Amino acid sequence: MTATLIDGKAFAAGLRARVAEEVRALAARGVVPGLAVVLVGEDPASAVYVRNKAAQTVEAGMRSFQHRLPASTGQAELLALVATLNADPAVDGILVQLPLPAQIDPQAVIEAIAPEKDVDGFHPMNVGRLATGMAGLVPCTPLGASMLIDSVRPDVAGLEAVVIGRSSIVGKPMAQLLLQRSATVTIAHSRTRDLAAVCRRADVLVAAVGRPEMVRGDWIKPGAVVIDVGINRVPSPEGGEGRTRLVGDVAFAEAAAVAGAITPVPGGVGPMTIACLLANTLQAAKARRGI
Ligand code: NAD
Protein backbone atom coordinates (compact mmCIF):
# COMPACT_ATOMS: atom_id res chain seq x y z
CA MET A 1 0.00 0.00 0.00
CA THR A 2 1.41 3.39 -0.98
CA ALA A 3 -1.54 5.62 -0.09
CA THR A 4 -1.89 7.56 3.15
CA LEU A 5 -4.69 6.03 5.18
CA ILE A 6 -7.26 8.68 6.14
CA ASP A 7 -8.32 7.74 9.66
CA GLY A 8 -11.95 8.85 9.84
CA LYS A 9 -12.43 7.20 13.21
CA ALA A 10 -9.68 9.29 14.80
CA PHE A 11 -10.77 12.45 12.95
CA ALA A 12 -14.36 11.95 14.12
CA ALA A 13 -13.21 11.46 17.72
CA GLY A 14 -11.31 14.75 17.51
CA LEU A 15 -14.34 16.53 16.05
CA ARG A 16 -16.60 15.14 18.79
CA ALA A 17 -14.12 16.34 21.41
CA ARG A 18 -14.09 19.85 19.89
CA VAL A 19 -17.89 19.90 19.85
CA ALA A 20 -18.03 18.72 23.47
CA GLU A 21 -15.62 21.46 24.50
CA GLU A 22 -17.79 24.15 22.89
CA VAL A 23 -20.90 22.61 24.42
CA ARG A 24 -19.27 22.87 27.87
CA ALA A 25 -18.53 26.55 27.27
CA LEU A 26 -22.15 27.12 26.18
CA ALA A 27 -23.50 25.20 29.16
CA ALA A 28 -21.53 27.52 31.43
CA ARG A 29 -23.64 30.32 29.90
CA GLY A 30 -26.84 28.34 30.55
CA VAL A 31 -27.28 27.05 27.01
CA VAL A 32 -27.51 23.26 26.53
CA PRO A 33 -28.07 22.27 22.87
CA GLY A 34 -30.72 19.59 22.32
CA LEU A 35 -31.19 17.09 19.49
CA ALA A 36 -34.51 15.34 18.87
CA VAL A 37 -34.38 12.10 16.91
CA VAL A 38 -37.59 10.56 15.60
CA LEU A 39 -37.80 6.90 14.62
CA VAL A 40 -40.94 5.54 12.98
CA GLY A 41 -41.20 1.76 12.90
CA GLU A 42 -38.78 -0.99 13.87
CA ASP A 43 -36.22 -1.14 11.06
CA PRO A 44 -33.28 -2.75 12.92
CA ALA A 45 -30.54 -0.79 11.11
CA SER A 46 -32.37 2.49 11.80
CA ALA A 47 -32.79 1.53 15.45
CA VAL A 48 -29.02 1.05 15.76
CA TYR A 49 -28.33 4.43 14.10
CA VAL A 50 -30.80 6.18 16.39
CA ARG A 51 -29.31 4.56 19.49
CA ASN A 52 -25.77 5.59 18.44
CA LYS A 53 -26.89 9.12 17.69
CA ALA A 54 -28.56 9.45 21.10
CA ALA A 55 -25.55 8.01 22.96
CA GLN A 56 -23.06 10.30 21.22
CA THR A 57 -25.33 13.33 21.73
CA VAL A 58 -25.31 12.73 25.48
CA GLU A 59 -21.55 12.06 25.43
CA ALA A 60 -21.02 15.46 23.82
CA GLY A 61 -22.90 17.07 26.72
CA MET A 62 -26.07 17.81 24.76
CA ARG A 63 -29.65 16.84 25.49
CA SER A 64 -31.07 13.93 23.54
CA PHE A 65 -34.80 13.59 22.95
CA GLN A 66 -35.90 10.30 21.43
CA HIS A 67 -39.33 9.77 19.92
CA ARG A 68 -40.26 6.25 18.84
CA LEU A 69 -43.49 5.90 16.92
CA PRO A 70 -45.12 2.67 15.72
CA ALA A 71 -44.79 1.61 12.07
CA SER A 72 -48.51 2.30 11.63
CA THR A 73 -48.07 6.04 12.38
CA GLY A 74 -49.89 8.26 9.91
CA GLN A 75 -48.35 11.24 8.16
CA ALA A 76 -50.55 13.75 10.00
CA GLU A 77 -49.43 12.36 13.34
CA LEU A 78 -45.74 12.61 12.41
CA LEU A 79 -46.21 16.14 11.06
CA ALA A 80 -47.88 17.09 14.35
CA LEU A 81 -44.85 15.81 16.28
CA VAL A 82 -42.51 17.76 13.99
CA ALA A 83 -44.59 20.90 14.61
CA THR A 84 -44.29 20.37 18.38
CA LEU A 85 -40.51 19.94 18.09
CA ASN A 86 -40.27 23.03 15.85
CA ALA A 87 -41.94 25.04 18.62
CA ASP A 88 -39.97 23.50 21.51
CA PRO A 89 -37.24 25.93 22.65
CA ALA A 90 -35.19 23.06 24.19
CA VAL A 91 -34.86 21.43 20.76
CA ASP A 92 -32.14 22.85 18.50
CA GLY A 93 -31.94 20.01 16.02
CA ILE A 94 -34.58 17.67 14.59
CA LEU A 95 -33.74 14.49 12.76
CA VAL A 96 -36.40 12.17 11.38
CA GLN A 97 -34.68 8.87 10.63
CA LEU A 98 -35.16 7.68 7.03
CA PRO A 99 -36.50 5.53 5.47
CA LEU A 100 -40.09 6.12 6.60
CA PRO A 101 -42.96 3.62 6.23
CA ALA A 102 -44.72 3.70 2.86
CA GLN A 103 -47.77 5.68 4.07
CA ILE A 104 -45.59 8.70 4.86
CA ASP A 105 -44.16 10.99 2.17
CA PRO A 106 -40.57 11.69 3.30
CA GLN A 107 -40.40 14.95 1.35
CA ALA A 108 -43.48 16.32 3.19
CA VAL A 109 -41.78 15.55 6.50
CA ILE A 110 -38.45 17.07 5.44
CA GLU A 111 -40.23 20.25 4.34
CA ALA A 112 -42.13 20.45 7.65
CA ILE A 113 -38.93 20.67 9.73
CA ALA A 114 -37.99 24.25 10.59
CA PRO A 115 -34.93 24.96 8.36
CA GLU A 116 -32.99 26.37 11.33
CA LYS A 117 -33.45 23.02 13.15
CA ASP A 118 -32.85 20.84 10.07
CA VAL A 119 -29.56 19.27 11.22
CA ASP A 120 -29.70 16.72 8.37
CA GLY A 121 -29.57 19.61 5.89
CA PHE A 122 -32.25 18.05 3.68
CA HIS A 123 -34.81 20.91 3.75
CA PRO A 124 -35.02 22.69 0.35
CA MET A 125 -34.05 25.92 2.13
CA ASN A 126 -30.75 24.41 3.28
CA VAL A 127 -30.24 22.66 -0.08
CA GLY A 128 -30.70 26.07 -1.74
CA ARG A 129 -28.39 27.77 0.72
CA LEU A 130 -25.65 25.26 -0.04
CA ALA A 131 -26.22 25.65 -3.79
CA THR A 132 -25.99 29.44 -3.56
CA GLY A 133 -23.00 29.47 -1.21
CA MET A 134 -24.89 30.86 1.79
CA ALA A 135 -24.32 29.68 5.37
CA GLY A 136 -26.70 26.91 6.32
CA LEU A 137 -26.91 23.35 7.58
CA VAL A 138 -25.06 20.90 5.31
CA PRO A 139 -25.88 17.15 5.10
CA CYS A 140 -23.70 15.27 7.57
CA THR A 141 -22.12 12.55 5.40
CA PRO A 142 -20.82 14.82 2.61
CA LEU A 143 -19.81 17.41 5.23
CA GLY A 144 -17.74 14.75 6.99
CA ALA A 145 -16.28 13.53 3.70
CA SER A 146 -15.24 17.06 2.78
CA MET A 147 -13.47 17.45 6.15
CA LEU A 148 -11.51 14.28 5.41
CA ILE A 149 -10.56 15.65 1.98
CA ASP A 150 -9.45 18.91 3.65
CA SER A 151 -7.27 16.91 6.05
CA VAL A 152 -5.09 15.61 3.23
CA ARG A 153 -5.69 18.09 0.36
CA PRO A 154 -6.72 21.45 1.87
CA ASP A 155 -6.63 23.22 -1.49
CA VAL A 156 -8.63 21.53 -4.25
CA ALA A 157 -9.03 24.66 -6.38
CA GLY A 158 -8.67 23.76 -10.04
CA LEU A 159 -8.38 20.04 -9.35
CA GLU A 160 -10.59 17.50 -11.10
CA ALA A 161 -13.12 16.04 -8.67
CA VAL A 162 -15.42 13.19 -9.62
CA VAL A 163 -18.38 12.24 -7.43
CA ILE A 164 -20.02 8.91 -8.28
CA GLY A 165 -23.65 9.02 -7.14
CA ARG A 166 -26.24 11.78 -7.41
CA SER A 167 -28.43 11.24 -4.35
CA SER A 168 -29.73 14.26 -2.43
CA ILE A 169 -28.22 12.81 0.73
CA VAL A 170 -24.63 12.32 -0.45
CA GLY A 171 -23.73 12.81 -4.13
CA LYS A 172 -25.31 16.18 -4.93
CA PRO A 173 -24.32 18.00 -1.72
CA MET A 174 -20.81 16.48 -1.99
CA ALA A 175 -20.49 17.96 -5.47
CA GLN A 176 -21.68 21.35 -4.17
CA LEU A 177 -19.07 21.34 -1.40
CA LEU A 178 -16.29 20.55 -3.88
CA LEU A 179 -17.56 23.23 -6.26
CA GLN A 180 -17.54 25.74 -3.39
CA ARG A 181 -13.84 24.95 -3.00
CA SER A 182 -13.34 25.65 -6.71
CA ALA A 183 -12.71 22.08 -7.85
CA THR A 184 -13.77 21.16 -11.38
CA VAL A 185 -16.59 18.81 -10.50
CA THR A 186 -18.11 15.94 -12.46
CA ILE A 187 -21.10 14.05 -11.10
CA ALA A 188 -21.18 10.49 -12.44
CA HIS A 189 -24.16 8.16 -11.95
CA SER A 190 -25.83 5.01 -13.17
CA ARG A 191 -26.22 6.39 -16.72
CA THR A 192 -22.65 7.66 -17.07
CA ARG A 193 -20.82 6.21 -20.06
CA ASP A 194 -17.33 4.77 -19.48
CA LEU A 195 -17.27 5.43 -15.75
CA ALA A 196 -13.72 4.05 -15.47
CA ALA A 197 -12.40 6.69 -17.89
CA VAL A 198 -14.26 9.47 -16.04
CA CYS A 199 -12.79 8.29 -12.73
CA ARG A 200 -9.24 8.16 -14.13
CA ARG A 201 -9.37 11.96 -14.55
CA ALA A 202 -10.09 12.49 -10.86
CA ASP A 203 -7.58 14.11 -8.51
CA VAL A 204 -10.32 13.69 -5.91
CA LEU A 205 -12.66 10.72 -6.30
CA VAL A 206 -15.71 10.29 -4.07
CA ALA A 207 -17.68 7.04 -4.43
CA ALA A 208 -21.25 7.09 -3.05
CA VAL A 209 -22.99 4.32 -4.94
CA GLY A 210 -23.78 1.32 -2.76
CA ARG A 211 -22.09 -1.30 -4.97
CA PRO A 212 -19.43 -3.39 -3.26
CA GLU A 213 -15.90 -2.76 -4.59
CA MET A 214 -17.16 -1.39 -7.92
CA VAL A 215 -14.29 1.09 -8.27
CA ARG A 216 -11.18 -0.85 -9.28
CA GLY A 217 -7.51 0.01 -8.86
CA ASP A 218 -7.05 0.81 -12.55
CA TRP A 219 -9.81 3.46 -12.31
CA ILE A 220 -7.66 5.52 -9.93
CA LYS A 221 -5.35 8.31 -11.06
CA PRO A 222 -1.95 7.86 -9.37
CA GLY A 223 -1.78 10.07 -6.28
CA ALA A 224 -5.54 10.77 -6.17
CA VAL A 225 -7.49 11.31 -2.96
CA VAL A 226 -10.10 8.53 -2.77
CA ILE A 227 -13.10 8.91 -0.45
CA ASP A 228 -15.24 5.81 -0.12
CA VAL A 229 -18.73 6.61 1.20
CA GLY A 230 -20.20 3.21 0.36
CA ILE A 231 -21.23 0.83 3.12
CA ASN A 232 -22.00 -2.64 1.77
CA ARG A 233 -22.46 -5.85 3.70
CA VAL A 234 -21.10 -8.88 1.82
CA PRO A 235 -20.53 -12.54 2.72
CA SER A 236 -17.25 -13.00 4.53
CA PRO A 237 -14.69 -15.27 2.78
CA GLU A 238 -13.37 -16.59 6.06
CA GLY A 239 -15.66 -17.71 8.85
CA GLY A 240 -18.73 -19.84 8.65
CA GLU A 241 -22.08 -19.53 6.99
CA GLY A 242 -23.94 -16.32 7.58
CA ARG A 243 -20.74 -14.40 8.43
CA THR A 244 -20.58 -11.01 6.76
CA ARG A 245 -18.17 -8.09 6.54
CA LEU A 246 -18.43 -4.47 5.47
CA VAL A 247 -16.82 -3.24 2.28
CA GLY A 248 -16.96 0.09 0.49
CA ASP A 249 -17.66 0.99 -3.12
CA VAL A 250 -13.90 0.94 -3.77
CA ALA A 251 -11.73 -2.19 -4.07
CA PHE A 252 -9.55 -1.00 -1.21
CA ALA A 253 -6.29 -2.95 -1.64
CA GLU A 254 -6.10 -2.28 -5.40
CA ALA A 255 -6.94 1.40 -5.01
CA ALA A 256 -4.59 1.92 -2.07
CA ALA A 257 -1.69 0.76 -4.26
CA VAL A 258 -2.31 3.67 -6.65
CA ALA A 259 -3.99 6.46 -4.66
CA GLY A 260 -2.21 9.20 -2.70
CA ALA A 261 -4.68 8.96 0.18
CA ILE A 262 -7.72 6.79 0.81
CA THR A 263 -10.44 6.21 3.39
CA PRO A 264 -11.01 2.67 4.69
CA VAL A 265 -14.41 1.00 5.19
CA PRO A 266 -15.22 0.76 8.03
CA GLY A 267 -13.43 3.57 9.86
CA GLY A 268 -13.46 6.20 7.12
CA VAL A 269 -16.46 8.36 6.26
CA GLY A 270 -18.86 6.33 8.44
CA PRO A 271 -17.83 7.70 11.86
CA MET A 272 -17.81 11.25 10.48
CA THR A 273 -21.57 11.27 9.90
CA ILE A 274 -22.67 11.31 13.55
CA ALA A 275 -19.78 13.60 14.52
CA CYS A 276 -21.03 16.08 11.91
CA LEU A 277 -24.59 15.67 13.18
CA LEU A 278 -23.36 16.82 16.59
CA ALA A 279 -21.44 19.69 14.98
CA ASN A 280 -24.60 20.70 13.08
CA THR A 281 -26.67 20.60 16.28
CA LEU A 282 -24.15 22.86 17.98
CA GLN A 283 -24.17 25.19 14.96
CA ALA A 284 -27.98 25.29 14.99
CA ALA A 285 -28.05 25.99 18.74
CA LYS A 286 -25.63 28.90 18.33
CA ALA A 287 -27.30 30.31 15.23
CA ARG A 288 -30.75 30.27 16.83
CA ARG A 289 -29.42 32.35 19.72
CA GLY A 290 -27.33 34.67 17.59
CA ILE A 291 -24.07 33.38 19.13
P1 NAD B 1 -28.55 6.04 -3.39
O1 NAD B 1 -28.95 4.65 -3.68
O2 NAD B 1 -29.56 7.07 -3.05
O3 NAD B 1 -27.71 6.60 -4.62
C1 NAD B 1 -26.77 5.82 -5.30
C2 NAD B 1 -26.27 6.58 -6.50
O4 NAD B 1 -25.36 5.74 -7.18
C3 NAD B 1 -27.35 6.96 -7.49
O5 NAD B 1 -27.27 8.34 -7.74
C4 NAD B 1 -27.02 6.17 -8.75
O6 NAD B 1 -27.19 6.93 -9.93
C5 NAD B 1 -25.57 5.82 -8.56
N1 NAD B 1 -25.28 4.52 -9.17
C6 NAD B 1 -25.95 3.36 -9.01
N2 NAD B 1 -25.40 2.38 -9.74
C7 NAD B 1 -24.35 2.94 -10.39
C8 NAD B 1 -23.38 2.45 -11.31
N3 NAD B 1 -23.38 1.19 -11.70
N4 NAD B 1 -22.47 3.31 -11.77
C9 NAD B 1 -22.46 4.60 -11.37
N5 NAD B 1 -23.34 5.11 -10.50
C10 NAD B 1 -24.28 4.29 -10.03
O7 NAD B 1 -27.45 5.90 -2.23
P2 NAD B 1 -26.89 6.99 -1.19
O8 NAD B 1 -27.88 7.22 -0.11
O9 NAD B 1 -26.31 8.15 -1.90
O10 NAD B 1 -25.70 6.12 -0.55
C11 NAD B 1 -24.62 5.65 -1.32
C12 NAD B 1 -23.75 4.72 -0.49
O11 NAD B 1 -23.24 5.45 0.62
C13 NAD B 1 -24.46 3.52 0.11
O12 NAD B 1 -23.56 2.43 0.15
C14 NAD B 1 -24.79 3.95 1.51
O13 NAD B 1 -24.88 2.87 2.40
C15 NAD B 1 -23.61 4.81 1.82
N6 NAD B 1 -23.89 5.85 2.83
C16 NAD B 1 -23.04 5.94 3.87
C17 NAD B 1 -23.25 6.89 4.85
C18 NAD B 1 -22.28 6.98 5.98
O14 NAD B 1 -21.12 6.74 5.82
N7 NAD B 1 -22.69 7.32 7.18
C19 NAD B 1 -24.34 7.74 4.78
C20 NAD B 1 -25.17 7.67 3.67
C21 NAD B 1 -24.93 6.70 2.70
Side-chain angles (χ1 to χ4, degrees):
M1 168 163 161
T2 56
T4 303
L5 191 71
I6 305 172
D7 187 346
K9 200 174 163 197
F11 196 102
L15 178 57
R16 288 198 307 271
R18 290 194 294 281
V19 168
E21 198 179 300
E22 260 202 75
V23 168
R24 270 197 298 280
L26 275 182
R29 298 165 60 174
V31 175
V32 181
L35 172 64
V37 179
V38 181
L39 174 62
V40 185
E42 267 100 56
D43 178 57
S46 294
V48 172
Y49 291 144
V50 165
R51 215 177 313 126
N52 287 339
K53 284 168 185 172
Q56 294 192 25
T57 302
V58 171
E59 243 170 74
M62 304 196 260
R63 283 200 190 105
S64 165
F65 307 99
Q66 278 194 71
H67 296 268
R68 287 166 171 269
L69 305 178
S72 60
T73 303
Q75 181 164 314
E77 209 179 317
L78 179 56
L79 291 179
L81 173 59
V82 169
T84 305
L85 297 173
N86 282 343
D88 185 342
V91 172
D92 295 289
I94 302 170
L95 183 152
V96 178
Q97 185 66 44
L98 302 176
L100 289 165
Q103 73 275 16
I104 301 175
D105 169 17
Q107 199 55 32
V109 176
I110 287 167
E111 290 185 25
I113 296 172
E116 67 274 16
K117 296 190 178 188
D118 167 41
V119 284
D120 255 340
F122 296 162
H123 190 288
M125 184 75 85
N126 284 315
V127 176
R129 283 179 168 270
L130 177 60
T132 52
M134 295 165 73
L137 291 160
V138 176
C140 302
T141 300
L143 179 60
S146 78
M147 289 178 185
L148 295 182
I149 296 169
D150 284 346
S151 75
V152 290
R153 196 71 45 99
D155 183 9
V156 297
L159 297 185
E160 292 272 350
V162 173
V163 179
I164 321 174
R166 57 173 157 183
S167 73
S168 300
I169 293 174
V170 188
K172 280 184 196 154
M174 186 74 241
Q176 292 288 3
L177 287 168
L178 287 160
L179 189 58
Q180 237 174 42
R181 289 161 174 72
S182 301
T184 302
V185 182
T186 302
I187 304 180
H189 47 77
S190 54
R191 305 288 296 273
T192 296
R193 268 183 270 163
D194 201 352
L195 183 59
V198 172
C199 291
R200 274 184 212 114
R201 296 204 309 256
D203 301 300
V204 177
L205 179 64
V206 181
V209 185
R211 287 180 163 244
E213 301 178 325
M214 180 185 80
V215 176
R216 309 310 308 188
D218 64 357
W219 296 23
I220 309 289
K221 180 176 176 178
V225 175
V226 177
I227 305 292
D228 191 351
V229 182
I231 300 178
N232 310 289
R233 196 163 279 287
V234 298
S236 179
E238 67 263 5
E241 199 149 305
R243 296 291 290 271
T244 60
R245 67 192 173 107
L246 289 182
V247 298
D249 291 340
V250 177
F252 180 83
E254 290 176 20
V258 188
I262 188 167
T263 59
V265 176
V269 176
M272 292 299 291
T273 298
I274 300 185
C276 286
L277 175 66
L278 304 179
N280 277 354
T281 304
L282 173 63
Q283 181 189 323
K286 288 175 19 185
R288 240 164 33 86
R289 295 172 177 82
I291 299 173

